[in-house]
């Protein structure tokens, strides 16, 4: 039986290269993701198999111990390998693709929006690159697949993009930002409640007087179960949650790079948002093709229902 091909069409691929994003695409029916996420949300409270210890990672804004729960939960392990996602990502990155991180992005009623930002090496918080493309690469950053596990309307804090900004970096990630947790949910920018989890992303601006052209911004409203894919170097932000409903907005982001990209080069820990977690049990996941580079820690799924990881030693 022929399997469906979800690769981007030539027209969609050209639009992705021009605008820096594609979608939304439907992955789950609304009732399907409501049931799947409702069950998963409760099951994630069991951290016995989570790869990161919770103790050293708690902060005022987020908790990095909740990164990479695809490594210990079957629903999330299935999610990152869904052909609807992988085929489209491989259309851009080529056949050999790793998922190197997943993150939850909740927005509760009354939460501020997320400020405009770009990420190339993800060195913005720690000062150390978390991904490193080989020299001479035409691209940089990661492809982020952001899936709406709940409704994501503008009033609930949906994403915003400024199309076509992914080819120019307006921020210098080597500057590193100052973490001030008291800023979380307490920043007003030009009349909009918008911050960055206890950081001020403007500290990284190459030109301190520059401002994003918000007149070109588009709001990416999504139904529960839809996803968008975009370059992390695309200028993106999110609206505040206006609090007109008691429902939270939950986004789940999975991040993809070619196997030629070095992940967490030269480091054995993630340091962000006032927390620190060891990478001893971490591994990238090969979601497409083959890894002939052998430069990254890898994680392999044992069974479909029990996705605990086995680590492959890697020479760095």
């Amino acid at each position: 039986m022929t399997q469906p091909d979800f690769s981007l069409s030539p027209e969609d691929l050209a639009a992705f290269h021009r605008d820096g994003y594609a979608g939304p695409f439907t992955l789950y029916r609304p009732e399907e993701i409501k049931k799947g996420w409702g069950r998963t949300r409760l099951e994630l409270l069991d951290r016995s198999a989570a790869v990161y210890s919770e103790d050293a990672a708690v902060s005022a804004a987020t908790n990095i111990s909740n990164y990479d729960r695809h490594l210990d939960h079957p629903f999330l392990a299935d999610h990152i390998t869904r052909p609807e996602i992988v085929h489209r990502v491989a259309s851009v990155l080529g056949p050999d693709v790793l998922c190197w991180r997943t993150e939850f992005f909740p927005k509760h009623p009354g939460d501020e929006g997320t400020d405009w930002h770009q990420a190339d090496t993800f060195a913005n918080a720690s000062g150390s690159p978390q991904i490193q493309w080989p020299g001479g690469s035409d691209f940089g950053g990661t492809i982020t697949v952001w899936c709406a596990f709940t409704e994501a309307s503008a009033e609930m804090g949906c994403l915003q993009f400024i199309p076509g900004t992914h080819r120019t970096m307006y921020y210098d990630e080597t500057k590193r930002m100052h973490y001030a947790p008291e800023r979380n949910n307490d920043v007003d920018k030009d009349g909009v409640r918008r911050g960055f989890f206890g950081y001020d992303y403007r500290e990284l601006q190459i030109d301190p007087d520059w401002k994003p052209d918000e007149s070109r911004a588009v709001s990416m409203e999504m139904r529960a179960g839809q996803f968008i894919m975009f370059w992390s170097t695309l200028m993106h932000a999110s609206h505040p949650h206006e609090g007109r409903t008691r429902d939270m907005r939950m986004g789940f982001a999975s991040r993809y790079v070619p196997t030629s990209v070095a992940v967490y080069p030269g480091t054995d820990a993630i340091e962000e948002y006032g927390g620190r977690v060891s990478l001893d049990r971490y591994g990238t996941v090969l979601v497409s093709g083959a890894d002939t580079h052998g430069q990254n820690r890898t994680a392999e799924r044992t069974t479909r229902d029990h996705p605990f990881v086995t680590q492959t030693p890697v020479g760095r």
Side-chain angles (χ1 to χ4, degrees), residues 144-166:
T144 296
V145 172
W146 198 101
C147 186
F149 278 9
T150 65
E151 293 291 314
S153 63
E155 68 178 31
M156 291 178 68
C158 74
L159 288 171
Q160 296 175 279
F161 297 145
I162 301 180
T165 52
H166 55 299

Side-chain angles (χ1 to χ4, degrees), residues 161-177:
F161 297 145
I162 301 180
T165 52
H166 55 299
R167 286 288 190 169
T168 302
M169 283 296 293
Y170 296 90
Y171 304 94
D172 179 358
E173 292 174 300
T174 65
K175 287 185 174 182
R176 192 172 179 176
M177 297 179 291

Side-chain angles (χ1 to χ4, degrees), residues 8 15-17 19-25 85 88-89 92-93 105 116-119 122 140-147 159-166 220 222 227-238 252-257:
L8 294 177
F16 182 84
H17 287 309
D19 298 330
Y21 68 92
F25 306 103
I85 292 174
R88 290 179 169 105
V89 170
V92 179
L93 297 181
F105 287 102
W116 292 104
H117 62 288
Q118 299 170 295
F122 288 78
T142 189
I143 287 185
T144 296
V145 172
W146 198 101
C147 186
L159 288 171
Q160 296 175 279
F161 297 145
I162 301 180
T165 52
H166 55 299
M220 304 307 301
M222 284 184 275
F227 71 90
I228 196 96
M229 57 181 284
F230 62 96
W231 279 118
S232 61
T233 53
L234 180 70
M235 195 72 64
H236 56 290
S238 68
F252 183 71
S254 44
R255 305 189 186 277
Y256 300 88
V257 291

Side-chain angles (χ1 to χ4, degrees), residues 86-103:
V86 173
H87 290 181
R88 290 179 169 105
V89 170
S91 298
V92 179
L93 297 181
D96 305 328
V97 179
L98 298 173
C99 177
W100 70 278
R101 180 190 279 181
T102 60
E103 301 174 49

